[in-house]
Amino acid sequence: VPPHYFAVKREIEQWAESQRTFITRDEYGELCIKHTVTDHNEQERLLRFLHDLGVALNFDDPTGPYQLGETNVLDPAWVTDAVYRVITNPKLTEDRGVFRRDDVGTLLPDPKRFPADTHGFVIDLMRKFELCFDFPDSAGDRFLVPERLPKDEPNVGWQPEESPESLNFRVAYNVLPPGLVCRFIVKMHNHLTFPDPTRKVAQTYWRDGAVLQVHGNRCLVRGSVEESRIYIQVQGDEATRREALSLIREKLADIHRTIKELQATEMIPVPNQPGVVIDYATVLENIREEIDRFIPPGGRAVGAKSLIARVDTEQRLSGYALNGTGTSFETGFAVHGARRWSRTGLESPDKGADDQELPDRVDFGIITMKDEEYQAVELRFEPLRRIRGRKQPYLFGQVPTPQGEKSVLITRCLEQGQKAAQQCANNMIQEGKVRWILLVGIAGAFPAEEYSLGDVLLASRVYDFAVTAAVEGKAPEQNPGGDRVHPDVAYLLKELPGLTCQKELGEWQGPAMVSMPKPKVLVPEKPSDKAFYGDKAWRLKVQKGLRANFPADREPRPPLNRIVPVGTSNVLVKDSEVAKEWLSVARAVGHVEMELGGVQEAAAQENIPVLSVRGISDVVGFRRSSAWTEFACQTAAAFARALIGSGLIDPARE
């Protein structure tokens, strides 16, 4: 570690000893420069070290929905103290876990330790760590803390587990952490069915469970700490019940991965056999051994294939090799002692897939950055197998198209910015010999009436704002570089708006492809509302664009795909003044992101087409719900899957 890192560390520790609780990002930058740490990337690396050591906590995720990047906490106990005081305040229990932004001053009554300008930071910390969520129609003003909900379970209409009229599932744990179900409720809050707001009783969610609406199905999820189990029941259309169950399993799996030593075992209750429940992994093992009919303990004979087909989607079934010839499969759960299915059958988790080699040539390479982007893409391209490349790991799969099966290689950048993206793309090009690259993820949009939150934008031209002109005596000026897209991408974009091509994409924005409902936006009546930011003209423009896309008298329309120029740089743009500066030199720019410039640079050397597929998670000038991050990831991934499967791109065509 360079010696000047320790000089920064010592001075920050001295500030903490002098009872300073926070330092701003600018103060940190000035301190680094004072001790000759001038490179931005080096400053970020040092900040990670300081965070890991507990010297200065930083919870920054530049593309996330929480505004945490400007504040570095010098007193780690302050964080837990603030959150603990909010969650344990008796008023929160009286109000059944509901509080408003203006209530934080009451919940944190010590203004010296918790001044008003830290209240938003505390709320965002609670949201980030899945302790609360904001109601979808509250514009970030009204929140719910599930841990303060009543424990009493209301009568929500559970059916017997053995009932064939519903799809039933269990997850058994070595120990069920008391807060796990609360975190699940936060993750799935966009699927909650809310009671009448005029009534005090929360009839559809309680501390250990909730009623959800997923793909038109009524889903009941209940946790029992005493039994160390979670019970799941899906009631509704048999054609979509498995998709709903799959989403619930996926969200639980996300939580499992964050809890060390947690052992979770999936279980299938057998229809028409009361009390008979079979380990999910056992059913797969019987399939491997080509034993379809078997007798579970205490029950009658069941069919392994029919039992698996009852709970899993077609995508998962295609990876099980029920006929003995399949590709890799993983349940997505951290199941204790579980095995996975591969070309050679079930095998232990510590061997097999990582030893696979990359094929000689791959049709499509997909690059993502955020965890949510990567997971959304992964779910759309199952079944997949993991491949350990020499320089980075990949997921590899096959997609049926009108021209036959096409191969897909998926990876992600570990860090944001063009440099990391260029290296990631270089590795994929060298190792995977990809013919086309799709950059799939989220972006921020400038206000417009033609598109908005949740829509998918395809880049028709790339403006690179990484270059700034600094002239003596003048303010820095933007000097955007960049160029037109690859001719093959331009050809595709000319075709794509046609009705025939749109029909070939299918219902990519429907519930079968996008696994969550579109969040609602309540557009404030006054431009001066705190949900908007920027000067008056910019606020009016934002409000006009949102009203055009989210009219108050209609349900949200399905997501659209539009073709719009993009601005790329190493700067996260959530500042209306920066947006106006960019538009002054490149007025056609409609959305902004941070990786495309690097990917384009790597691909240009090998003449490889690059298509940017970005779901809009932000509109610069509007403080939106955190749900838009996940929804935009879902729409971008769904569109990318539909586009590849449509055959509109044929990488083999010269």
Side-chain angles (χ1 to χ4, degrees):
V1 179
H4 43 279
Y5 280 24
F6 289 98
V8 175
K9 174 178 177 289
R10 281 193 296 270
E11 189 155 347
I12 288 179
E13 288 171 335
Q14 290 170 4
W15 289 356
E17 290 171 0
S18 67
Q19 305 304 310
R20 284 199 61 178
T21 307
F22 304 99
I23 59 170
T24 66
R25 197 57 174 261
D26 289 342
E27 288 177 307
Y28 170 73
E30 291 171 2
L31 177 61
C32 286
I33 292 172
K34 172 183 173 182
H35 294 288
T36 70
V37 185
T38 57
D39 179 74
H40 175 74
N41 291 330
E42 196 175 6
Q43 291 177 3
E44 293 296 308
R45 189 179 306 113
L46 173 55
L47 189 55
R48 285 292 98 200
F49 288 157
L50 296 174
H51 177 89
D52 293 341
L53 292 169
V55 174
L57 301 185
N58 178 276
F59 303 101
D60 190 17
D61 176 4
T63 64
Y66 316 114
Q67 308 298 314
L68 299 172
E70 292 302 313
T71 303
N72 298 293
V73 181
L74 299 184
D75 179 7
W78 184 94
V79 174
T80 51
D81 189 21
V83 172
Y84 180 80
R85 289 196 188 200
V86 170
I87 291 179
T88 59
N89 193 296
K91 186 179 186 303
L92 206 60
T93 303
E94 293 172 11
D95 295 336
R96 297 178 178 268
V98 177
F99 72 96
R100 293 187 176 276
R101 189 174 290 272
D102 291 342
D103 294 337
V104 180
T106 304
L107 300 173
L108 293 173
D110 184 351
K112 183 177 180 181
R113 182 162 172 77
F114 307 106
D117 59 0
T118 67
H119 293 173
F121 179 77
V122 173
I123 292 174
D124 285 340
L125 275 176
M126 292 173 62
R127 292 162 69 201
K128 177 180 176 66
F129 292 106
E130 298 171 350
L131 296 171
C132 75
F133 65 84
D134 46 320
F135 287 88
D137 59 352
S138 72
D141 184 60
R142 188 163 165 263
F143 306 88
L144 176 71
V145 178
E147 288 194 33
R148 294 277 72 84
L149 286 169
K151 289 196 69 174
D152 295 337
E153 178 181 329
N155 183 6
V156 293
W158 285 88
Q159 296 182 11
E161 269 198 311
E162 67 274 8
S163 170
E165 303 303 317
S166 61
L167 179 55
N168 297 284
F169 206 76
R170 287 187 194 178
V171 185
Y173 299 86
N174 55 333
V175 176
L176 177 60
L180 191 149
V181 175
C182 292
R183 287 182 60 189
F184 173 77
I185 292 173
V186 174
K187 276 187 175 292
M188 294 292 289
H189 73 269
N190 286 299
H191 296 273
L192 286 173
T193 55
F194 293 97
D196 184 343
T198 63
R199 302 178 65 183
K200 279 282 186 181
V201 179
Q203 294 178 320
T204 56
Y205 45 85
W206 61 102
R207 192 179 306 181
D208 295 320
V211 180
L212 310 171
Q213 192 77 12
V214 184
H215 297 326
N217 295 276
R218 187 170 184 263
C219 306
L220 312 178
V221 180
R222 177 186 64 193
S224 172
V225 175
E226 294 77 12
E227 299 176 278
S228 294
R229 293 174 185 169
I230 286 179
Y231 297 88
I232 303 167
Q233 188 168 98
V234 183
Q235 304 170 356
D237 187 357
E238 189 173 353
T240 57
R241 290 190 312 204
R242 294 177 302 174
E243 283 76 9
L245 176 61
S246 179
L247 179 63
I248 292 170
R249 291 166 66 189
E250 170 199 337
K251 296 303 180 185
L252 285 172
D254 289 343
I255 300 173
H256 295 165
R257 296 185 190 102
T258 68
I259 305 176
K260 189 177 181 182
E261 304 300 333
L262 184 68
Q263 299 170 8
T265 304
E266 295 180 305
M267 311 288 290
I268 308 173
V270 180
N272 297 315
Q273 296 195 36
V276 179
V277 183
I278 303 176
D279 187 318
Y280 180 88
T282 298
V283 181
L284 289 183
E285 188 168 358
N286 277 278
I287 294 175
R288 175 182 69 93
E289 299 293 342
E290 299 182 357
I291 302 172
D292 184 35
R293 303 289 292 178
F294 69 99
I295 300 176
R300 302 185 302 275
V302 297
K305 294 178 183 178
S306 61
L307 205 57
I308 286 293
R310 178 175 170 80
V311 300
D312 274 317
T313 63
E314 295 296 333
Q315 282 186 327
R316 285 181 178 271
L317 286 173
S318 66
Y320 289 177
L322 299 185
N323 58 1
T325 60
T327 55
S328 68
F329 162 77
E330 290 188 58
T331 65
F333 266 76
V335 182
H336 178 60
R339 302 174 178 181
R340 65 166 175 258
W341 190 258
S342 73
R343 288 189 182 276
T344 57
L346 283 163
E347 51 188 38
S348 58
D350 59 349
K351 68 175 184 178
D354 287 343
D355 299 327
Q356 300 284 349
E357 293 185 357
L358 282 160
D360 294 335
R361 190 75 171 170
V362 175
D363 294 306
F364 294 97
I366 297 180
I367 295 176
T368 64
M369 201 290 295
K370 290 178 66 64
D371 288 350
E372 299 94 326
E373 297 170 352
Y374 186 64
Q375 292 165 6
V377 168
E378 179 180 358
L379 287 171
R380 299 310 182 287
F381 288 89
E382 289 183 334
L384 295 163
R385 61 183 170 90
R386 289 185 292 112
I387 294 178
R388 188 181 297 279
R390 288 184 297 104
K391 297 184 179 180
Q392 61 195 28
Y394 302 94
L395 295 173
F396 179 80
Q398 300 279 350
V399 177
T401 77
Q403 295 87 21
E405 282 200 340
K406 301 297 181 183
S407 53
V408 178
L409 200 62
I410 302 167
T411 192
R412 59 166 298 206
C413 300
L414 192 58
E415 297 178 352
Q416 289 179 301
Q418 296 191 15
K419 183 177 180 181
Q422 183 174 352
Q423 185 60 58
C424 181
N426 270 328
N427 294 342
M428 175 178 275
I429 291 168
Q430 293 170 13
E431 295 189 312
K433 305 295 190 296
V434 293
R435 291 187 169 98
W436 265 69
I437 292 178
L438 275 67
L439 182 61
V440 181
I442 61 175
F446 295 154
E449 296 183 49
E450 296 79 15
Y451 48 83
S452 190
L453 293 166
D455 294 333
V456 175
L457 302 187
L458 311 174
S460 56
R461 187 182 179 96
V462 184
Y463 292 90
D464 191 339
F465 287 88
V467 180
T468 302
V471 181
E472 182 70 29
K474 296 183 179 180
E477 297 178 357
Q478 293 292 341
N479 183 22
D483 204 348
R484 301 179 189 276
V485 294
H486 189 282
D488 289 354
V489 175
Y491 189 96
L492 170 70
L493 297 181
K494 290 174 184 177
E495 274 192 314
L496 205 53
L499 295 176
T500 301
C501 289
Q502 290 292 310
K503 185 177 180 181
E504 290 179 33
L505 290 173
E507 296 185 3
W508 66 267
Q509 67 279 77
M513 290 291 282
V514 180
S515 61
M516 64 179 289
K518 188 174 184 179
K520 294 182 180 180
V521 174
L522 185 63
V523 184
E525 294 183 2
K526 297 181 179 180
S528 58
D529 190 279
K530 60 185 177 183
F532 300 115
Y533 60 90
D535 60 26
K536 184 177 180 180
W538 189 266
R539 287 168 172 249
L540 286 168
K541 189 175 181 180
V542 173
Q543 184 189 48
K544 185 178 180 182
L546 289 172
R547 282 181 172 172
N549 288 279
F550 297 93
D553 57 344
R554 291 197 297 274
E555 287 294 309
R557 58 164 172 74
L560 307 171
N561 59 282
R562 292 287 184 260
I563 299 169
V564 183
V566 66
T568 183
S569 76
N570 289 310
V571 177
L572 177 69
V573 180
K574 287 191 177 181
D575 186 324
S576 61
E577 293 301 319
V578 174
K580 287 191 290 185
E581 182 183 347
W582 285 21
L583 288 171
S584 69
V585 295
R587 63 181 183 178
V589 169
H591 62 304
V592 291
E593 58 83 75
M594 299 175 65
E595 283 77 39
L596 182 56
V599 176
Q600 288 267 84
E601 184 70 24
Q605 299 176 23
E606 300 294 334
N607 194 30
I608 295 173
V610 176
L611 176 65
S612 173
V613 181
R614 293 293 194 179
I616 298 305
S617 63
D618 267 296
V619 173
V620 178
F622 183 66
R623 296 183 175 91
R624 54 25 167 208
S625 164
S626 60
W628 286 107
T629 297
E630 182 177 358
F631 186 78
C633 290
Q634 299 289 336
T635 57
F639 182 86
R641 174 62 178 80
L643 180 62
I644 291 176
S646 70
L648 292 172
I649 304 174
D650 185 3
R653 182 178 58 198
E654 295 296 336

